[in-house]
Amino acid sequence: QLEESGGGLVQAGGSLELSCRVSGLPFRSYAMTWFRQAPGKEREFVATINPDHYNSDPSYSDSVKGRFILARDDAKNTASLQMNGLKVEDTAVYYCATRPGGASRRLRDYSYWGQGTQVTVSS
């Protein structure tokens, strides 16, 4: 199971940190990814991170690169998404997802999803 937390309402330019806790899966062997879905739009990729033993950096969409930071804590089975410099266009429901092995930016590659957490950025 995946459980997101940390969403809320923030003014443009502000920050929020989302967290996704995974249970019942071998977290260390799984990639962790965040997607988001704005009203009336398709769900889109935000950021992804490989299992630690891949020894690779997180990967980000162009729209959030340089503002968002994805990290994982294998001791806590948790992935966090630090969102800085938030913009109105970042408003969406944010979903975490996980899959065994390497990271992917494709929605169809993920079988395990959280319920989503709302992020609203006001102008």
Side-chain angles (χ1 to χ4, degrees), residues 19-89:
S19 183
C20 178
R21 189 175 187 284
V22 178
S23 60
L25 295 171
F27 184 80
R28 294 176 185 270
S29 302
Y30 277 52
M32 293 297 302
T33 303
W34 286 91
F35 295 89
R36 68 185 181 186
Q37 187 166 17
K41 296 188 176 181
E42 294 185 349
R43 196 170 298 188
E44 65 176 7
F45 166 77
V46 175
T48 189
I49 187 168
N50 278 315
D52 258 357
H53 64 269
Y54 280 59
N55 198 28
S56 62
D57 293 328
S59 176
Y60 302 92
S61 68
D62 288 344
S63 61
V64 308
K65 192 178 300 182
R67 299 188 296 122
F68 290 12
I69 301 171
L70 175 59
R72 62 186 297 149
D73 184 339
D74 286 358
K76 297 181 179 179
N77 284 12
T78 298
S80 62
L81 184 68
Q82 177 66 42
M83 305 185 296
N84 302 316
L86 282 162
K87 304 175 181 179
V88 172
E89 52 263 43

